[in-house]
Amino acid sequence: NLDIQNGNHYGFVGLSGSGKSTIIDLFLGLLSPKEGEISVDKKSLLEFGLRKWQLNIGYVPQKPLINNCSLKENIAYGFDKQDIDENKVIKCIEMACLKDVLSQLPDGLNSSLGDRGKFLSGGQQQRVAIARAIAGERPLLLADEPTGNLDISTGKDVLQIFKDLCHADKDPISILMVTHDPELASKADRMLLLKDGVTAASDIREAWGLEEGEEE
C-alpha cells in the first residue's frame, strides 16, 4: 500500500524475484493488479484513462532501445525532425552527463548511433535513455536499474540529476527507481524494500531475513 507524492524520489530495492520488475509493469499499466487498484488523483487508473496515464510517464528501461538515427533524434524521440529544439537537446545531454559522448561523435548532434546503438557503450546507451526521459518533460519518471551500466562516478552524477529534477523550484517531477542495490536506493527520498511481492520492513536487515551479525 503506497502513496506516491509529487516531487519525491522513491527507491525500490529487493532481491531477484522480489517483484521489482512487476511493480514497474504495474506502474506502466502493462499489468493490471489482481487485487486492489492503482489510483491517480483519487481516480482508478481505468477511470483516469490508461493512455492518458502513460503519456505522463518517462521511462528508463534496463536495456534501452537505441534507434539507427542521430543522437538528437534518439533523445527527442517522438518529435518530428524539423520540430526538434537543439538547445533543449543539448540541455538534456548536459543533464545526463553525455557531453563527453557528444564531443567524440563525428557529426555532433547529427551523428548516427547505429543499429541498436552499436556505436555506443552500454553505459552511454543508458545515458541516452536518461536524456530521452528528461526531454519528454513528463511528471513521472520510472527508472529500472538506471545506473546498472554506469561507472561509480557517472552513477553518482545521475542520482544528483534525479534529485535536482525532483526538488526543482518549477515543475518538480516524481521518480520511481527500481534497483537491486540497497546503497543506491538509500539515496532516494524514500526507500521501499520489496520481499515476495510486497513492501517489506523499513530495516534492510529485517527485509533480507538476516540475523544480527550476518553479512548482507
Side-chain angles (χ1 to χ4, degrees):
N1 204 19
L2 176 64
D3 187 16
I4 300 294
Q5 299 291 334
N6 190 40
N8 282 312
H9 179 193
Y10 297 83
F12 292 85
V13 64
L15 299 172
S16 296
S18 61
K20 300 190 301 298
S21 296
T22 301
I23 204 166
I24 284 283
D25 287 344
L26 284 166
F27 279 121
L28 285 171
L30 301 178
L31 291 177
S32 298
K34 293 181 178 179
E35 297 179 20
E37 67 176 7
I38 297 174
S39 300
V40 184
D41 293 336
K42 299 182 180 180
K43 294 181 179 179
S44 72
L45 185 54
L46 291 178
E47 182 184 357
F48 184 85
L50 181 58
R51 183 57 181 158
K52 179 182 175 183
W53 167 245
Q54 290 172 336
L55 289 173
N56 282 282
I57 297 174
Y59 180 42
V60 181
Q62 199 170 144
K63 296 181 179 179
L65 175 62
I66 306 299
N67 297 303
N68 188 14
C69 56
S70 68
L71 173 62
K72 71 178 181 182
E73 289 172 280
N74 267 286
I75 291 174
Y77 184 74
F79 290 86
D80 290 333
K81 190 174 181 179
Q82 65 271 18
D83 295 332
I84 295 175
D85 183 340
E86 291 193 358
N87 290 326
K88 180 179 175 181
V89 170
I90 290 172
K91 182 179 178 181
C92 294
I93 284 173
E94 292 173 348
M95 293 180 70
C97 309
L98 271 170
K99 287 180 69 176
D100 60 329
V101 176
L102 178 61
S103 66
Q104 295 167 12
L105 293 173
D107 297 315
L109 292 175
N110 296 309
S111 300
S112 173
L113 302 185
D115 185 35
R116 300 191 181 184
K118 66 180 180 181
F119 299 137
L120 300 179
S121 69
Q124 290 168 342
Q125 292 180 31
Q126 195 80 355
R127 283 181 278 163
V128 169
I130 292 170
R132 179 189 293 163
I134 295 171
E137 296 183 333
R138 309 292 174 82
L140 178 63
L141 190 152
L142 302 184
D144 190 357
E145 300 284 2
T147 63
N149 293 315
L150 304 180
D151 58 65
I152 294 174
S153 177
T154 307
K156 289 180 179 179
D157 290 340
V158 168
L159 288 177
Q160 184 61 48
I161 292 166
F162 286 174
K163 182 177 180 180
D164 293 343
L165 289 169
C166 288
H167 301 153
D169 293 331
K170 183 181 178 182
D171 300 325
I173 72 172
S174 303
I175 295 179
L176 277 59
M177 177 182 71
V178 165
T179 179
H180 68 280
D181 184 350
E183 183 178 355
L184 183 65
S186 70
K187 305 299 182 184
D189 297 320
R190 184 179 177 192
M191 181 172 71
L192 295 135
L193 308 176
L194 293 173
K195 186 176 182 181
D196 300 327
V198 297
T199 49
S202 58
D203 178 71
I204 195 164
R205 302 191 65 83
E206 184 180 342
W208 257 231
L210 297 172
E211 299 295 334
E212 195 67 35
E214 280 189 277
E215 292 296 326
E216 294 178 12

